[in-house]
Amino acid sequence: MYDNWKFKTQVDFADNEVSAKDLYIKYTGFKPTTVTIGQHKEPFSLEELTSSRYSTFMERGLPNAFAPGRNIGVGLHTHGQQWTLAGGIYGEGAGDDHVAGQNEGWGSTGRVTFVLVNESNRVIHLGSAVSYRAPNGDNIFSIDSRPESDVTDVKLVDTGDLTNVNDYSLYGMESAFVWGPYFIQGEYMQMKINRDRGMPDATLDGWYTYVSWFLTGESRAYEFEDGEFARVKPMQNVGSGGFGAWEVAARYSTIDLDDGLVNGGTENNLTIGLNWYLNPQVRFMANYIHVDTNSNAGNENPNVLQFRGQLDF
């Protein structure tokens, strides 16, 4: 709008509920620097920042539980030909529970990325992020994770409510490599929780790595301005004399929510994926997930098979 202003309104209707996703305005007049005000994703984690429309798997890996995600705040983003730098200050997200008269939680997050190689079919991406968080006035904090399936509400690893949490810090490292039709991506994330009143501190962490192969020869697209991966475009669309793009992928992810008196459990997942991109806007996905958990609540080892048909425009 009016050359230098952008806005986005994104609303989700899943589970018969209405919830706000992206709700922001953005000023682009300081090119290449942009200023975003409102609810948007904090700059943390390559997998979190990559749109679910373009992600290799149906759901993000287990360590994504550490990513701050969307919150209301002010963010700055700038870039060069081989790097990006982003940061901001944030409160809580739209719709978060808040007790009247109680201080709101807040945080500050920053991310830097470098692209060492950026060619049409070869990319080497490296990045790092850090975030400082302070919980709301009751000083209670918890973290949990679904088994990489959002069609279930079951959370097999869960710290429960941790009391006397003064603040916590997040650290992330990320890398990705494109070599023709082959793709490798991985991240490590760590959370350091500081507690007062004699309660011991805790360190929790997780990581994932995955590989994919386009059987039809495509390469994953990269947007250096954002330090993120973008839409897959088949070399030949279905209906135009081609078979679309076919991709096979495998991911191993792990999360450890145990440390001292914090007993949230550990989980290791192996995911096998198959994607068929009929054209740039339509794809079908199939994921098989083998789950292996170890927690005080018991060792649950379910298997998940799920499918998705996706149209975006």
Side-chain angles (χ1 to χ4, degrees):
M1 297 185 69
Y2 298 96
D3 299 327
N4 294 326
W5 294 93
K6 295 183 178 182
F7 75 94
K8 184 176 181 181
T9 301
Q10 180 182 349
V11 181
D12 195 356
F13 299 96
D15 297 325
N16 293 319
E17 296 181 359
V18 179
S19 60
K21 297 298 183 181
D22 286 330
L23 291 170
Y24 63 75
I25 57 176
K26 179 181 291 188
Y27 182 70
T28 63
F30 302 130
K31 292 181 174 56
T33 300
T34 61
V35 182
T36 304
I37 303 173
Q39 171 145 308
H40 58 279
K41 286 184 178 181
E42 298 189 27
F44 191 99
S45 170
L46 173 60
E47 193 173 43
E48 170 66 22
L49 293 173
T50 299
S51 171
S52 58
R53 294 173 296 163
Y54 314 145
S55 60
T56 302
F57 298 92
M58 290 174 61
E59 305 297 345
R60 297 176 174 93
L62 292 171
N64 188 250
F66 295 119
R70 292 178 173 90
N71 287 302
I72 298 173
V74 179
L76 300 177
H77 178 93
T78 190
H79 69 86
Q81 289 293 319
Q82 293 184 289
W83 57 271
T84 71
L85 182 64
I89 298 177
Y90 302 87
E92 297 178 359
D96 285 354
D97 293 334
H98 185 68
V99 178
Q102 190 178 86
N103 290 334
E104 180 177 333
W106 69 278
S108 181
T109 301
R111 175 179 182 248
V112 59
T113 70
F114 301 93
V115 56
L116 305 183
V117 176
N118 185 19
E119 301 174 0
S120 60
N121 61 354
R122 289 196 303 167
V123 174
I124 299 178
H125 164 100
L126 300 174
S128 181
V130 62
S131 181
Y132 171 84
R133 326 292 301 178
N136 58 27
D138 59 11
N139 296 106
I140 295 176
F141 171 77
S142 66
I143 184 170
D144 54 49
S145 180
R146 289 186 174 96
E148 295 179 352
S149 174
D150 275 8
V151 298
T152 176
D153 290 328
V154 173
K155 298 172 181 178
L156 300 175
V157 287
D158 186 351
T159 62
D161 288 339
L162 303 178
T163 59
N164 302 314
V165 175
N166 186 51
D167 55 45
Y168 61 95
S169 300
L170 299 168
Y171 305 93
M173 299 178 63
E174 61 190 52
S175 63
F177 306 89
V178 176
W179 194 272
Y182 304 104
F183 181 67
I184 303 174
Q185 179 174 311
E187 292 190 72
Y188 172 79
M189 302 181 201
Q190 184 183 82
M191 171 183 285
K192 289 185 174 292
I193 302 174
N194 299 314
R195 307 172 75 182
D196 53 18
R197 299 184 182 178
M199 299 295 291
D201 298 340
T203 299
L204 314 176
D205 64 0
W207 59 271
Y208 74 84
T209 184
Y210 76 79
V211 297
S212 78
W213 174 30
F214 282 96
L215 305 176
T216 44
E218 289 79 6
S219 294
R220 188 161 296 278
Y222 182 75
E223 295 181 341
F224 74 89
E225 301 95 335
D226 299 317
E228 303 169 15
F229 287 91
R231 184 185 303 278
V232 172
K233 297 181 179 179
M235 291 190 291
Q236 291 185 310
N237 295 335
V238 173
S240 300
F243 297 96
W246 287 82
E247 180 186 27
V248 293
R251 177 176 65 195
Y252 184 83
S253 62
T254 182
I255 191 170
D256 185 352
L257 302 184
D258 283 342
D259 187 27
L261 297 180
V262 177
N263 297 303
T266 61
E267 182 174 336
N268 306 297
N269 285 6
L270 175 64
T271 302
I272 305 297
L274 175 64
N275 298 320
W276 180 25
Y277 304 81
L278 284 76
N279 56 54
Q281 269 71 43
V282 181
R283 71 169 168 171
F284 293 99
M285 310 175 72
N287 283 182
Y288 166 75
I289 309 161
H290 175 69
V291 182
D292 181 10
T293 62
N294 185 355
S295 69
N296 290 337
N299 300 335
E300 299 287 344
N301 303 308
N303 294 286
V304 181
L305 182 62
Q306 56 190 24
F307 304 89
R308 174 179 294 164
Q310 175 180 307
L311 167 67
D312 75 89
F313 55 92

